[in-house]
Structure formats: structure tokens, C-alpha cells
């Protein structure tokens, strides 16, 4: 049995992440070479997406477009993973793109989904603020109408 495990360990390509070292999401994230240019670009992309989310807070249609683009990217993550798995040597030192999609799910889709959740929370906040403002206006009009009828 130990000989078989040694054989399995030695058959792992040098340029792949060993599943034997991965015991949790945290160890998986720590095993990633974050100094690679394309990963720095990906982190920058997520920071820009977050910035756009907050900058477009007052521009509802633009934020809807931003939301739909991010949701579309998550929808096509499996296709992106397949393309990246076939062409990883052209942009990366290591093969991160496994058939289960763990890497793309954690590093690409999860931040985009968190960003879309932030947008939904902002929309709910805006909806409650508008409803509160509307109810306040209704109560003021009702009070003004009652005061006008009282004085007549």
C-alpha cells in the first residue's frame, strides 16, 4: 500500500499541484503562486469590479449592466476553465485548472459572486430607502390634507 502511494506521488507532474498537499481551501489558496503576472492581473480585475460596484451605486442602469456581465462570467466559468486548461502553458508556470473546477471556482467565480451579492444588498437597501421616503411623503400629504379639511 505504501509502495502504491509512493508510486502515485511520483507520477504527479512537477508542474501540477499535488492533491495530497491540499487538505483545505486555505492550503489550496496558499499553494497558489500569487506572484505570477496573470494572477496579479486577476486580483486587480476583482478589485476593479468591486470599485465599479461602489462607483455605480447611483447609476442604476450601469450597475445592472455590471451585475449581468459578472453573472455572465460566472455562468461561462466552466468554459473558461476548459480553455485555460488547454492553454495554461502560454500564461502560467503551473497547471491550476483541474477538471472539477476548484481553482476557477475559488479564485474567479467566488469573488464575482460576492460582488453580485453586494450589488443585491445595495439594491435592497435602496429599495427600503425609497419605500421609507415614499411612506413619509404619503403621511405628510395625509396630514396636510387632514389639516386643510379641518381648517375649512
Amino acid at each position: 500500500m505504501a509502495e502504491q502511494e509512493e508510486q502515485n506521488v511520483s507520477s504527479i507532474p512537477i508542474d501540477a499541484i499535488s492533491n495530497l498537499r491540499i487538505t483545505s481551501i486555505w492550503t489550496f489558496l496558499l499553494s497558489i503562486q500569487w506572484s505570477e503576472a496573470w494572477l496579479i492581473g486577476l486580483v486587480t480585475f476583482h478589485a476593479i469590479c468591486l470599485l465599479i460596484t461602489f462607483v455605480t451605486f447611483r447609476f442604476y442602469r450601469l450597475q445592472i449592466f455590471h451585475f449581468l456581465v459578472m453573472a455572465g462570467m460566472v455562468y461561462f466559468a466552466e468554459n473558461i476553465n476548459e480553455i485555460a486548461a488547454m492553454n495554461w502553458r502560454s500564461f502560467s508556470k503551473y497547471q491550476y485548472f483541474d477538471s472539477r473546477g476548484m481553482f476557477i471556482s475559488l479564485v474567479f467565480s467566488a469573488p464575482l459572486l460576492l460582488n453580485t451579492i453586494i450589488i443585491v444588498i445595495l439594491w435592497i437597501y435602496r429599495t427600503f430607502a425609497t419605500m421609507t421616503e415614499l411612506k413619509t411623503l404619503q403621511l405628510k400629504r395625509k396630514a396636510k390634507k387632514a389639516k386643510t379639511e379641518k381648517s375649512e
Side-chain angles (χ1 to χ4, degrees):
M1 181 76 165
E3 184 178 308
Q4 186 180 11
E5 285 181 26
E6 279 184 39
Q7 188 178 22
N8 287 342
V9 171
S10 64
S11 65
I12 296 172
I14 295 171
D15 58 359
I17 296 177
S18 169
N19 288 338
L20 300 174
R21 292 185 298 159
I22 307 302
T23 56
S24 68
I25 291 173
W26 185 249
T27 57
F28 179 75
L29 291 174
L30 288 175
S31 67
I32 295 171
Q33 191 76 29
W34 291 103
S35 60
E36 288 193 53
W38 74 276
L39 286 170
I40 293 170
L42 183 64
V43 170
T44 304
F45 165 75
H46 288 307
I48 290 169
C49 282
L50 186 62
L51 181 66
I52 290 171
T53 296
F54 290 112
V55 167
T56 61
F57 178 70
R58 298 196 187 275
F59 306 102
Y60 190 65
R61 289 186 178 148
L62 189 59
Q63 196 168 57
I64 290 172
F65 176 74
H66 179 57
F67 178 87
L68 291 175
V69 167
M70 288 189 300
M73 285 190 280
V74 171
Y75 180 79
F76 289 108
E78 184 177 352
N79 300 33
I80 294 168
N81 188 54
E82 288 176 17
I83 293 167
M86 289 186 291
N87 302 304
W88 67 271
R89 284 185 175 89
S90 63
F91 61 89
S92 181
K93 293 178 187 174
Y94 303 100
Q95 166 56 303
Y96 294 113
F97 304 96
D98 59 329
S99 60
R100 293 184 184 156
M102 187 161 122
F103 175 78
I104 199 140
S105 295
L106 286 174
V107 179
F108 182 74
S109 296
L112 289 174
L113 287 173
L114 286 173
N115 208 337
T116 57
I117 289 169
I118 290 169
I119 290 176
V120 170
I121 290 169
L122 290 172
W123 288 347
I124 291 170
Y125 168 77
R126 185 184 303 147
T127 301
F128 282 137
T130 304
M131 289 172 57
T132 304
E133 189 177 319
L134 179 62
K135 192 62 178 177
T136 304
L137 287 173
Q138 285 176 344
L139 291 173
K140 283 181 181 179
R141 282 186 182 171
K142 189 176 180 181
K144 186 177 181 180
K145 186 178 180 182
K147 188 178 178 181
T148 307
E149 288 177 359
K150 204 181 227 185
S151 63
E152 290 179 354

